[in-house]
Amino acid sequence: MALLSVQGVTKRFGGLTAVNAVSFDVAKGEILGIIGPNGAGKTTLFSLISGFLTPDEGDVLFDGQSIKGVPTHVQVDRGLVRSFQIVQTFADMDVLDVVTTAALAKLPMVEAIDFAAQTIRRVGLGGKEYLTPAVLSLQDKKLLEVAKCVATQPRLILLDEVMAGLTMAETEAPLAVIRELNASGVTIVMVEHVMPVIMRTATRIAVINFGEKIAEGTPQGIVEDKRVIEAYFGEHLDA
Ligand SMILES: Nc1ncnc2c1ncn2[C@@H]1O[C@H](COP(=O)(O)OP(=O)(O)O)[C@@H](O)[C@H]1O
Ligand SMILES: [Mg+2]
């Protein structure tokens, strides 16, 4: 049985159908990549899965149970968590506070602080516990987003463009964290714009264009798919 099953979800904003009857399954242990042009509906799709938005149509099953409309904190309790594309910072909290708050989803305070400190080191932010997130580099802010997810001890993480804006060299650290997490048993769905990154990391890729899933397959199959080339790579290949 799939760990996550997205079944024909649709979301409309007024006259705009941001996500249109999208379906896919994610097996336990996979790294599913989701790609597609800007505005394709990827973040909206994540919001529908993680409970920030409720689909107008369709259903989302996590571990065989419908989670459609289930509030985010309940989903985190069950083991499904998302990162945010826009890195959020909090004026009065340091890195340790931010990650501890996430860890409190599963642990009492003393253990949460401990686990947060451990998680911060695990993602490579060791030594930055007492900095305010606002002063972190973009790369470190992204790692903090990953740390917040990891601290909730998830079974499935939805990562929304955690590599965006980073140089290829800067993607190495978050990528290593993602691979290590996956190796430890965490299932991953990642939206990413940096193509070489997703090609090297994902076990399978789904392509979204204008709210619809237009292709799904292995990284190699996807780059050879005509619809994908037209929708996504067209301009680059023509250039
Ligand atoms: N809350 C919202 N209200 C109205 N339109 C939205 C909202 N969120 C997203 N959209 C629109 O839905 C479409 C898909 O957006 P989004 O899911 O952010 O795309 P992506 O993450 O693939 O770039 C875009 O046209 C965007 O402007
Ligand atoms: Mg987005």
Side-chain angles (χ1 to χ4, degrees):
M1 184 185 61
L3 182 60
L4 179 73
S5 184
V6 176
Q7 305 183 339
V9 294
T10 294
K11 182 69 192 177
R12 297 181 198 93
F13 296 117
L16 173 83
T17 305
V19 174
N20 194 359
V22 169
S23 300
F24 59 86
D25 280 355
V26 186
K28 189 178 180 312
E30 264 197 297
I31 302 180
L32 177 73
I34 297 182
I35 63 172
N38 252 327
K42 305 178 299 293
T43 296
T44 305
L45 184 60
F46 270 13
S47 296
L48 294 171
I49 297 169
S50 57
F52 285 84
L53 292 172
T54 305
D56 296 319
E57 284 156 36
D59 203 356
V60 181
L61 306 188
F62 182 61
D63 215 7
Q65 265 192 308
S66 176
I67 52 169
K68 178 167 142 172
V70 171
T72 301
H73 69 276
V74 177
Q75 301 216 22
V76 170
D77 283 347
R78 291 183 188 169
L80 193 160
V81 68
R82 77 176 288 184
S83 76
F84 285 90
Q85 184 171 0
I86 296 158
V87 176
Q88 301 167 316
T89 56
F90 312 88
D92 300 333
M93 296 173 98
D94 62 25
V95 165
L96 183 60
D97 293 332
V98 169
V99 182
T100 300
T101 304
L104 283 170
K106 294 273 171 66
L107 297 168
M109 185 54 98
V110 175
E111 285 90 339
I113 295 171
D114 227 47
F115 189 67
Q118 195 185 312
T119 304
I120 288 166
R121 288 192 298 271
R122 187 177 179 192
V123 304
L125 288 177
K128 295 173 181 164
E129 290 82 355
Y130 302 111
L131 295 179
T132 168
V135 307
L136 295 178
S137 67
L138 179 63
Q139 183 186 23
D140 284 351
K141 282 178 181 156
K142 302 272 183 177
L143 289 172
L144 178 58
E145 274 298 302
V146 176
K148 278 165 58 188
C149 291
V150 173
T152 67
Q153 304 186 54
R155 288 192 285 161
L156 188 146
I157 300 187
L158 305 168
L159 295 172
D160 197 354
E161 298 207 28
V162 288
M163 252 81 73
L166 303 183
T167 65
M168 275 312 276
E170 287 171 338
T171 62
E172 291 304 328
L175 266 183
V177 173
I178 289 166
R179 292 207 183 96
E180 186 254 332
L181 273 173
N182 183 246
S184 76
V186 181
T187 304
I188 292 170
V189 181
M190 55 192 288
V191 163
E192 207 53 67
H193 239 79
V194 188
M195 288 302 298
V197 165
I198 205 129
M199 288 296 165
R200 284 193 294 141
T201 312
T203 48
R204 215 154 48 84
I205 292 177
V207 187
I208 310 287
N209 193 29
F210 293 113
E212 294 183 18
K213 188 181 84 176
I214 58 165
E216 184 177 347
T218 61
Q220 196 51 44
I222 287 298
V223 289
E224 290 166 0
D225 188 300
K226 278 210 168 57
R227 285 163 306 171
V228 177
I229 293 168
E230 273 170 33
Y232 198 73
F233 306 104
E235 291 163 42
H236 306 284
L237 291 185
D238 291 345

